[in-house]
Amino acid sequence: EQEFRNKVKRIEVDEKIVADKLAVNASDNTTELDLTGITLSDNAERAPFLAYYADNLTKLTLDPKLSLSNVKNVDRIIDDAPNLKLTNEQVTQLLKDTKFENSDGIFNNVGIERLDLTSFDNSKLNNTAVLFKNLKGLKEIAFGDKFNFNKYIPTGQANSYFDTDLSTVEKVSVS
């Protein structure tokens, strides 16, 4: 079983799946994850767990209808895929109109150039939520009017939303 899994280079979902409890564990050799058929129900309790220790993962394709807007709890979505660079569109799609209550990191050790939080509502998050860990290549963060800065804990402090090096950020905007 282990030998077979290590030979998988591409994982593709070509059927429509409502995946409220999905956990895709891309193996060390997986380079591409095509989740075109994956969506969540309107009352999904948890976000899907897409990649974990996927060192060779370089491409992720999401279904245009995949939304985390109704998800209340996020353990992890992508955890340790250092060669994957999420596009601005993917980040915006995943975080658009989200209103998590609990989180143990949304993205960890993954490339994200622009973090779009313009519709992100952090008002219900508990104070122990760490959302973005070790982001690679982060150049821009965009906040919106739903982001509650009174609940924001700065980088470098315990339980910061951004447990990542922000020295590469060139632009921060608030709309």
Side-chain angles (χ1 to χ4, degrees):
E1 179 181 320
Q2 181 69 23
E3 185 177 319
F4 172 75
R5 187 183 71 141
N6 285 337
K7 293 180 181 182
V8 174
K9 299 280 187 209
R10 184 178 196 297
I11 298 172
E12 180 178 354
V13 177
D14 60 0
E15 297 291 326
K16 297 295 179 197
I17 298 173
V18 177
D20 289 5
K21 296 182 180 177
L22 176 73
V24 175
N25 185 0
S27 73
D28 292 340
N29 288 337
T30 305
T31 58
E32 186 175 342
L33 205 51
D34 183 341
L35 303 176
T36 304
I38 299 287
T39 58
L40 297 174
S41 70
D42 290 340
N43 57 356
E45 285 291 318
R46 297 209 170 273
F49 186 28
L50 303 180
Y52 182 63
Y53 288 113
D55 288 343
N56 293 315
L57 186 63
T58 59
K59 184 175 182 184
L60 175 67
T61 305
L62 299 173
D63 192 288
K65 295 179 183 175
L66 179 63
S67 171
L68 302 177
S69 62
N70 293 321
V71 176
K72 293 178 183 165
N73 300 296
V74 178
D75 293 325
R76 292 171 283 189
I77 297 174
I78 298 173
D79 193 351
D80 208 11
N83 294 308
L84 177 63
K85 183 177 178 184
L86 295 176
T87 66
N88 297 339
E89 292 78 18
Q90 288 172 319
V91 173
T92 300
Q93 175 184 341
L94 288 172
L95 297 180
K96 184 174 176 63
D97 296 325
T98 56
K99 38 194 174 291
F100 303 127
E101 293 175 10
N102 297 296
S103 176
D104 184 26
I106 298 172
F107 305 120
N108 177 25
N109 197 20
V110 65
I112 295 178
E113 190 171 285
R114 182 175 190 272
L115 188 57
D116 186 341
L117 302 174
T118 53
S119 69
F120 186 76
D121 180 359
N122 68 328
S123 64
K124 293 183 181 178
L125 271 171
N126 66 39
N127 287 335
T128 62
V130 178
L131 303 177
F132 312 106
K133 300 178 186 180
N134 304 317
L135 300 183
K136 309 293 182 199
L138 185 61
K139 293 183 180 174
E140 181 180 353
I141 303 172
F143 294 99
D145 60 356
K146 293 180 182 179
F147 193 88
N148 181 347
F149 283 95
N150 290 326
K151 289 196 64 143
Y152 172 74
I153 300 169
T155 297
Q157 295 185 22
N159 303 322
S160 170
Y161 290 159
F162 298 95
D163 186 7
T164 195
D165 179 8
L166 297 178
S167 67
T168 60
V169 175
E170 299 168 356
K171 180 179 179 182
V172 176
S173 59
V174 180
S175 59

